[in-house]
Amino acid sequence: MSDRPADLPPEVVGQLRRQNSDPADWYGGGGLWVLLNTSQFAYPQPDGKVDIKMPWWRVLDGRLTIDAVSPETGETAKGDVPYGYSVPGFQASGLTLPHLGCWYVTGTLGETQVRFFVKAVSPPETKPLDTKPSDTKAEDPSS
């Protein structure tokens, strides 16, 4: 992860708050930011690889590309950035990695590059929802 806070202009801060997102959770600058606190959880795929979802916020038009390299093995990965998101605003993306572990990630949009380090880990375990019927009884409309 990074210790550099996002350099967010006031209009972007307002847009993020309207989306119920804390501007302090974003990292980047120059018109491109990434939400780091969710960009570490890797979900296993049937082929043994792992997928990470990376939310971005951008104020620049153009094609966002994402590249990753493992400092441990030198392996590389390219992100998947779908079309169809309006500018300025949110941009979904995914990154399929060969394995869990440490990765240097670079998001590039025009001349702007946002670089960060991420340790891809399995997501925290969640408990299933309690689906037992409640103790309260519904009123019988026929009585």
Side-chain angles (χ1 to χ4, degrees):
M1 295 297 193
S2 171
D3 59 359
R4 186 181 87 170
D7 173 22
L8 293 164
E11 64 273 10
V12 173
V13 170
Q15 292 168 345
L16 291 172
R17 287 193 174 133
R18 282 191 292 283
Q19 298 293 323
N20 294 320
S21 183
D22 184 351
D25 292 338
W26 293 80
Y27 168 79
L32 181 64
W33 301 271
V34 63
L35 184 62
L36 288 181
N37 64 354
T38 63
S39 297
Q40 67 184 11
F41 299 123
Y43 298 88
Q45 300 305 303
D47 63 1
K49 295 180 180 181
V50 293
D51 282 346
I52 292 180
K53 304 297 182 204
M54 286 188 177
W56 296 82
W57 193 272
R58 61 196 207 146
V59 297
L60 303 172
D61 203 5
R63 184 79 175 141
L64 171 63
T65 61
I66 303 166
D67 298 288
V69 63
S70 168
E72 299 160 349
T73 66
E75 293 171 281
T76 60
K78 293 230 176 252
D80 176 38
V81 184
Y83 287 103
Y85 289 86
S86 61
V87 176
F90 174 79
Q91 172 68 62
S93 76
L95 182 61
T96 300
L97 301 171
H99 54 79
L100 296 173
C102 298
W103 293 86
Y104 289 111
V105 180
T106 303
T108 304
L109 181 59
E111 297 296 314
T112 300
Q113 287 191 327
V114 175
R115 295 183 184 133
F116 56 96
F117 177 81
V118 66
K119 182 176 181 183
V121 298
S122 297
E125 288 192 33
T126 57
K127 293 181 181 180
L129 294 175
D130 186 3
T131 57
K132 293 188 283 186
S134 68
D135 293 335
T136 59
K137 295 182 182 178
E139 240 179 80
D140 183 356
S142 63
S143 50

